[in-house]
């Protein structure tokens, strides 16, 4: 963390190579990334403050180059914090060089600051759905261009006019071979628990972090990796919970990049998960069961399905053709979806044909 001696003082003026001047107003925060200040752009003809901005003195030239690069690359996209200027000062002999970024000042702060407010209880599911889709659009562009953010957490997601804005590209990477991009920096609390076992960073990890962000936005609490077990308790439509489940899945059908994740979030709500008549018999079908049944235990029903010529599965796989859905799903209220139904919803969205039938229909098929 930057020491007090290294901080810029209030009233100090920084001048870029073109003579544009910025006056420091107050110190805001500091850490391993450097120091951040509220500042003002000065008039070209006087010392009058013209525009409030954010000045960031980066901890290293590498971070500075990276953020300046991504600011230029993503200039004009409203989902990204605007980088107004970048320059180095103090390059004379024996004088410490400061690597400076000038960013737009976002008075509404970050999602982390909102989560710290006991009066904030999150956003409505509809708003979360819309804002996550906006964020995924810019991530789709980044991932297509070989860019991974790597640090999408509440501290780095800002609010502008009620919309999410992505900032802090300090550890982001731009590479022609993203599948061979080493994991050299990350925030453990917002990364998959097995991140250290992986050889390279992948675009799906960005999506994992967006999934956690969605949980934070829905609950008003800072969601970290350990909170993914609580997805089914979220007060949100099943299609949104299904998306978060797949975005943060350790295994299964995770979303590999921003484009795929954006398409899934758009389409999951239109997937028909209602009970259907299903096949005429269970012979040759791969059948999975979910929930608590009134006509028998899952073990008893599995034996009856096998006797009818079906193959019983403990989980959803590429072979699954029938899912029997009980009136009540374990650990949920009513007929809210559980993990098997989340898996089936996503597979149906991708075009797989899986029959979802009720226990009454199963009983008839077993007669």
């Amino acid at each position: 963390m930057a020491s007090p001696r290294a901080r810029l003082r209030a009233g100090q003026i920084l001048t870029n190579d073109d003579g544009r001047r910025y006056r420091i107003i107050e110190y805001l925060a500091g850490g391993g990334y450097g120091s951040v200040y509220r500042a003002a752009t000065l008039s070209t003809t006087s010392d009058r403050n013209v525009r409030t901005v954010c000045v960031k003195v980066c901890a290293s030239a590498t971070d500075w180059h990276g953020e300046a690069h991504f600011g230029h690359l993503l200039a004009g996209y409203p989902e990204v914090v605007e980088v107004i200027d970048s320059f180095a000062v103090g390059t004379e002999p024996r004088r410490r060089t400061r690597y400076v970024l000038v960013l737009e000042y976002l008075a509404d702060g970050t999602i982390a600051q909102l989560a710290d407010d006991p009066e904030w209880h999150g956003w409505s599911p509809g708003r979360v759905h819309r804002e996550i889709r906006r964020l995924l659009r810019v991530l789709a562009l980044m991932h297509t261009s070989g860019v991974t953010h790597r640090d999408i957490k509440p501290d780095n997601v800002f609010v502008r006019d009620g919309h999410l804005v992505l900032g802090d590209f300090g550890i982001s990477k731009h590479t022609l071979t993203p599948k061979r991009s080493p994991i050299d920096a990350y925030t453990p609390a917002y990364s998959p628990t097995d991140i250290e076992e992986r050889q390279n960073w992948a675009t799906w990890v960005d999506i994992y972090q967006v999934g956690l962000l969605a949980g934070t936005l829905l609950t008003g609490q800072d969601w970290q990796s350990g909170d993914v077990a609580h997805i089914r308790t979220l007060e949100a439509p099943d299609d949104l919970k299904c998306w978060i489940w797949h975005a943060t899945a350790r295994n299964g059908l995770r979303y590999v990049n921003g484009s795929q994740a954006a398409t899934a979030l758009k389409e999951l709500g239109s997937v028909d998960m209602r009970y259907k008549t299903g096949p005429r018999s269970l012979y040759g079908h791969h059948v999975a069961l979910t929930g608590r049944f009134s006509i028998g235990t899952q073990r008893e029903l599995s034996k009856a399905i096998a006797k009818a010529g079906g193959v019983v599965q403990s989980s959803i796989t590429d072979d699954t053709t029938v899912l029997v859905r009980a009136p009540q799903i374990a650990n949920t209220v009513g007929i809210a979806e559980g993990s098997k139904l989340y898996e089936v919803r996503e597979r149906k969205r991708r075009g797989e044909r899986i029959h979802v039938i009720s226990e009454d229909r199963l009983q008839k098929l077993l007669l």
Side-chain angles (χ1 to χ4, degrees):
M1 180 176 292
S3 66
R5 289 186 304 169
R7 293 182 190 173
L8 301 176
R9 64 183 182 279
Q12 187 171 347
I13 294 176
L14 302 179
T15 305
N16 75 356
D17 296 338
D18 299 324
R20 187 180 301 175
R21 299 175 300 154
Y22 304 95
R23 176 187 285 126
I24 301 300
I25 297 175
E26 65 174 336
Y27 172 81
L28 296 177
Y33 55 81
S35 301
V36 177
Y37 305 83
R38 185 165 64 91
T41 303
L42 298 184
S43 168
T44 57
T45 58
S46 70
D47 287 341
R48 177 175 57 87
N49 291 354
V50 175
R51 176 187 179 184
T52 301
V53 294
C54 177
V55 164
K56 180 176 181 178
V57 180
C58 296
S60 70
T62 300
D63 291 350
W64 173 66
H65 279 295
E67 289 210 61
H69 167 72
F70 292 116
H72 176 74
L73 185 70
L74 297 166
Y77 288 91
E79 300 89 358
V80 177
V81 174
E82 179 189 3
V83 177
I84 300 167
D85 200 355
S86 63
F87 55 95
V89 295
T91 56
E92 297 87 347
R94 297 184 181 180
R95 186 174 177 185
R96 178 185 177 189
T97 301
R98 298 184 190 274
Y99 298 99
V100 179
L101 293 171
V102 181
L103 312 167
E104 66 172 309
Y105 180 74
L106 296 169
D108 292 335
T110 66
I111 296 301
Q113 290 171 318
L114 281 177
D116 285 339
D117 183 355
E119 298 299 318
W120 187 64
H121 302 293
W123 290 345
S124 69
R127 184 177 180 182
V128 173
H129 193 285
R130 291 191 300 272
E131 290 305 309
I132 292 297
R133 282 184 65 183
R134 289 181 72 254
L135 210 57
L136 289 173
R137 283 199 295 268
V138 76
L139 280 174
L141 172 69
M142 290 166 54
H143 291 166
T144 300
S145 303
V147 176
T148 47
H149 187 282
R150 302 175 176 235
D151 207 18
I152 303 173
K153 59 185 181 182
D155 276 320
N156 296 336
V157 180
F158 296 78
V159 180
R160 184 205 302 122
D161 299 327
H163 296 301
L164 297 180
V165 185
L166 187 59
D168 200 336
F169 287 77
I171 63 173
S172 301
K173 289 292 179 67
H174 192 181
T175 175
L176 295 176
T177 55
K179 291 183 179 180
R180 297 182 180 178
S181 183
I183 300 174
D184 51 7
Y186 65 96
T187 304
Y190 302 98
S191 300
T193 55
D194 61 345
I195 191 69
E196 291 186 357
E197 301 171 15
R198 302 182 177 277
Q199 298 297 315
N200 297 289
W201 190 274
T203 51
W204 71 261
V205 186
D206 278 353
I207 306 306
Y208 176 94
Q209 294 178 333
V210 175
L212 294 182
L213 177 67
T216 297
L217 295 172
L218 285 168
T219 63
Q221 304 295 317
D222 182 8
W223 260 46
Q224 299 182 4
S225 296
D227 294 304
V228 296
H230 306 305
I231 291 172
R232 284 185 288 178
T233 66
L234 291 172
E235 294 184 7
D238 283 329
D239 60 289
L240 180 54
K241 290 192 288 186
C242 175
W243 184 89
I244 297 171
W245 190 83
H246 284 281
T248 58
R250 180 180 176 89
N251 299 302
L253 301 176
R254 61 166 61 102
Y255 306 125
V256 299
N257 55 43
S259 179
Q260 188 184 86
T263 300
L265 186 57
K266 178 182 178 181
E267 295 178 349
L268 280 170
S270 62
V271 175
D272 188 355
M273 293 296 290
R274 293 175 297 179
Y275 293 130
K276 293 294 177 16
T277 301
R280 292 186 177 182
S281 77
L282 296 176
Y283 184 83
H285 281 278
H286 288 72
V287 184
L289 302 168
T290 183
R292 297 171 180 169
F293 295 88
S294 61
I295 59 175
T297 65
Q298 285 200 15
R299 185 175 181 179
E300 292 168 341
L301 294 176
S302 295
K303 290 181 179 180
I305 292 169
K307 187 175 181 180
V311 178
V312 181
Q313 298 180 298
S314 59
S315 60
I316 307 299
T317 71
D318 292 344
D319 296 324
T320 305
T321 54
V322 177
L323 176 70
V324 187
R325 177 179 184 174
Q328 183 167 328
I329 306 300
N331 301 321
T332 62
V333 178
I335 55 172
E337 291 185 10
S339 58
K340 288 182 181 177
L341 282 157
Y342 295 154
E343 184 84 4
V344 167
R345 182 185 283 267
E346 175 59 25
R347 287 179 177 273
K348 286 169 71 70
R349 184 195 70 82
R350 298 189 189 201
E352 295 184 31
R353 188 178 182 186
I354 301 177
H355 303 282
V356 180
I357 66 174
S358 67
E359 67 172 354
D360 289 340
R361 178 57 181 164
L362 173 65
Q363 191 170 31
K364 292 178 181 178
L365 291 171
L366 292 176
L367 292 177

